[in-house]
Amino acid sequence: MQNLKLILNVIPTYLFYLLPIFLITGPLFSDLTIIIISLLFLIQLSIKKNFKIITNKFFIIFISFCVLITINSLFSDDIRLSTLSSSFYFRFGLFALAVYYLLEKDYSILFVLKNVFLFIIIILFFDTLVQFFYGKNILGFENNNTSNFRITSFFGNDEVLGSYVARFFPFIMSLIFFHKYKKKKEINKFFLSPFIIIIFVTVFLSGERTAFFLLLISSFLIFLSCSDIKKHFVISFFVSVIIIFLISSFNPSVKKRMFDTVITQLNLLNPSERVVIFSKTYEGHYKIALNMFKEKPILGHGVKIFRVYCAKPENFVSDVACTTHPHNIYMQFLSETGIIGFLYLISFFVFITYVVTRNIFSRILKNNKLLTDHEACLLIFYFVTLFPFAPSGNFFNNWLSIIYYFPAGFLIYLNKNTLIKNEL
């Protein structure tokens, strides 16, 4: 019995701590981790014969979405490909509930998680500098993308360093503020400014323009939402701008990747051609997605069917338009899950936008806190992660899905225990 308790209680907690590290190695270990955590969670519920937790309103809505995409897959052009993703998508919801279950027993695991993330960010920063100056990271990984400037650090050939850091930044800030909230201690502001500078420099050096854009948005929203650290955010931002300016001045490859290419792709300097949406390649993806939506507007073509649809000669748009996904999650939902699936996504984003905006205006105009700083940062994480006006990865990709759902258990916990329950 003692061994069983160890397995059911200790192992999920330590796997939760290790998950941010496993995400750096790729989707295999991270996906296996959430499966193990979810299975141990179900076993624990079965032993205690207490399934009340699965009646949580978030989980019920999530399961209805899983049913929808599974039905869509059964009517898709490639049932096997589509159902492989949709049939087991429920594991992410179980993982979120499992994390909420852990937090209900001991919320202090978030303090350890905060330290894990801080350690990871610092290591990634120094390794990024090593790869930037010497061409290889400390493990000898080189970036083989010679046509574009990219730094990938421990991610190897996966060009997601900036995405990882930028997307998790608001969540890490939420953990920092949560620690302050529970321990009733002031944040170490001598640490906070260097940490923010490290975030900006790492994301900029990654060469990921979308990640840098999302980082700017999240930083601006955190600045407006969290009054206690405004001064440190301003200082950190201006120091980061100076460092970025110096890097761009002495390294033409960085400047070309982060600034010049953007101007060229948008046709901003070519008055004879119209401005395009992000680039001609992305615009081609969106045209295909809209064509798919027009054909099946209610339920869509099925998860992961974009690649199948665009590969058919009759659906040709341009030589660079066909790929595995539309590179925008809203376009992906319209094309693959139809208007019904799209409503799940857009409703959640609009609600998050409403709560974040309402909190900001209340602070500015009335000097009144509707949300604590850690609640505001957690919602900003979802605002930025689901931001519609930016290119994005495949929503149903295992790696990205884990990032989407990683803080979901914390969100459910806050909904049950703190101020956020008045908003959600």
Side-chain angles (χ1 to χ4, degrees), residues 73-260:
S73 297
L74 295 176
F75 293 94
S76 67
D77 290 340
D78 192 326
I79 296 176
R80 182 178 177 276
L81 172 66
S82 192
T83 53
L84 279 175
S85 289
S86 61
S87 298
F88 298 99
Y89 194 75
F90 65 87
R91 69 190 185 277
F92 297 111
L94 283 177
F95 166 71
L97 279 188
V99 172
Y100 162 63
Y101 185 74
L102 291 174
L103 294 179
E104 281 286 280
K105 291 191 294 183
D106 183 12
Y107 65 77
S108 67
I109 65 174
L110 291 175
F111 303 159
V112 179
L113 182 67
K114 178 205 69 175
N115 292 330
V116 170
F117 267 116
L118 293 179
F119 174 77
I120 289 172
I121 295 299
I122 292 171
I123 293 297
L124 286 175
F125 169 69
F126 284 109
D127 191 63
T128 295
L129 293 181
V130 170
Q131 192 171 14
F132 176 67
F133 287 110
Y134 298 101
K136 295 181 180 180
N137 83 326
I138 60 177
L139 295 181
F141 291 155
E142 294 182 79
N143 182 27
N144 297 321
N145 189 345
T146 56
S147 60
N148 269 319
F149 173 85
R150 291 293 186 95
I151 297 293
T152 57
S153 185
F154 296 108
F155 292 91
N157 292 327
D158 295 326
E159 298 173 345
V160 293
L161 166 64
S163 178
Y164 179 94
V165 175
R167 290 179 186 276
F168 272 130
F169 172 60
F171 180 50
I172 298 171
M173 290 299 298
S174 180
L175 294 176
I176 291 172
F177 283 122
F178 183 72
H179 196 171
K180 170 196 172 185
Y181 175 78
K182 287 295 184 180
K183 294 292 185 179
K184 302 188 185 305
K185 293 180 179 179
E186 289 298 316
I187 295 174
N188 186 341
K189 295 175 181 177
F190 291 103
F191 164 78
L192 187 61
S193 293
F195 172 69
I196 296 171
I197 294 169
I198 283 173
I199 293 287
F200 268 91
V201 174
T202 302
V203 175
F204 183 78
L205 286 178
S206 74
E208 296 177 48
R209 296 169 304 213
T210 299
F212 192 70
F213 173 65
L214 295 179
L215 177 62
L216 290 174
I217 294 176
S218 64
S219 299
F220 180 66
L221 292 176
I222 293 172
F223 171 78
L224 294 178
S225 302
C226 307
S227 55
D228 292 345
I229 60 169
K230 281 187 176 181
K231 182 188 299 183
H232 296 272
F233 248 91
V234 171
I235 295 172
S236 304
F237 179 76
F238 278 107
V239 173
S240 299
V241 168
I242 293 171
I243 295 174
I244 287 170
F245 175 77
L246 292 174
I247 293 172
S248 302
S249 299
F250 290 101
N251 193 308
S253 298
V254 183
K255 177 177 177 292
K256 179 181 178 182
R257 169 68 191 173
M258 297 299 287
F259 300 112
D260 298 346

Side-chain angles (χ1 to χ4, degrees), residues 322-367:
C322 189
T323 183
T324 56
H325 58 93
H327 288 82
N328 180 279
I329 58 176
Y330 291 85
M331 289 294 184
Q332 183 175 11
F333 267 65
L334 283 173
S335 60
E336 296 186 342
T337 69
I339 193 66
I340 297 179
F342 179 79
L343 286 174
Y344 281 88
L345 178 62
I346 194 66
S347 298
F348 183 68
F349 179 77
V350 168
F351 182 74
I352 292 294
T353 303
Y354 165 74
V355 177
V356 170
T357 305
R358 184 165 171 257
N359 180 58
I360 290 173
F361 276 101
S362 181
R363 289 200 171 200
I364 294 174
L365 300 178
K366 301 178 181 179
N367 196 26

Side-chain angles (χ1 to χ4, degrees), residues 278-294:
F278 303 128
S279 72
K280 291 182 179 179
T281 300
Y282 285 132
E283 196 171 81
H285 301 333
Y286 303 156
K287 286 180 179 179
I288 292 174
L290 287 175
N291 290 338
M292 292 175 68
F293 172 67
K294 290 175 183 177

Side-chain angles (χ1 to χ4, degrees), residues 44 58 136 161 183 207 262 284-285 293 313-314 316 381 398 409:
Q44 199 157 8
F58 290 104
K136 295 181 180 180
L161 166 64
K183 294 292 185 179
V262 174
H285 301 333
F293 172 67
E314 61 269 27
F316 177 84
F381 165 87
N398 291 355

